[in-house]
Amino acid sequence: QVQLVESGGGSVQAGGSLRLSCVYSRYNGYFMGWFRQAPGKEREGIASIFARYRTTYYADSVKGRFTISQDNGKNTLYLQMNSLKPEDTAMYYCAQSSSANSWNRAETYQYWGQGTQVTVSS
């Protein structure tokens, strides 16, 4: 079993920044990802990292504004979010996969945190 705990969410005005953190108990060497889900919407993959091979992936909606990084020495995944928009408002989840399939599909990931809320006001 892998445990993941997110933190760093909160309320911010449009144009502001937040940094999310996710502490995990173990890393199995595959994707670490960030997903978000707004009420009435499907869970959306927004960023992922395959640290072993120095590969990152981003959804078009956040590319250029968000940066994913991983410090495995600290067992921590980060999501730096800049230039936040009201449409970024959602519950944000970190997750860990057990394979190298599609990075942005929830089905790829077996382990999930409980989420941290991000609210962006206009």
Side-chain angles (χ1 to χ4, degrees):
Q1 300 297 314
V2 178
Q3 309 295 322
L4 306 99
V5 180
E6 304 96 333
S7 63
S11 298
V12 65
Q13 291 188 335
S17 298
L18 287 172
R19 188 174 79 158
L20 306 184
S21 298
C22 172
V23 177
Y24 48 88
S25 61
R26 184 173 64 86
Y27 177 54
N28 65 14
Y30 294 95
F31 293 128
M32 293 291 298
W34 288 99
F35 286 72
R36 67 186 182 188
Q37 188 166 25
K41 302 292 183 67
E42 292 187 350
R43 189 165 296 191
E44 175 190 20
I46 57 172
S48 185
I49 184 167
F50 204 149
R52 183 177 293 176
Y53 302 113
R54 301 172 178 267
T55 307
T56 58
Y57 309 87
Y58 296 96
D60 289 342
S61 59
V62 306
K63 193 172 298 181
R65 299 188 297 123
F66 292 10
T67 302
I68 188 171
S69 61
Q70 183 178 355
D71 185 344
N72 203 45
K74 297 181 178 180
N75 278 29
T76 304
L77 179 75
Y78 302 97
L79 185 68
Q80 178 66 46
M81 305 186 294
N82 298 326
S83 301
L84 284 162
K85 304 174 181 179
E87 50 263 46
D88 295 318
T89 296
M91 184 72 73
Y92 284 70
Y93 301 88
C94 65
Q96 184 176 138
S97 77
S98 298
S99 68
N101 294 317
S102 297
W103 72 267
N104 61 345
R105 294 182 61 87
E107 292 82 2
T108 299
Y109 298 82
Q110 283 70 57
Y111 307 104
W112 296 82
Q114 294 299 305
T116 185
Q117 179 68 39
V118 172
T119 302
V120 184
S121 61
S122 60

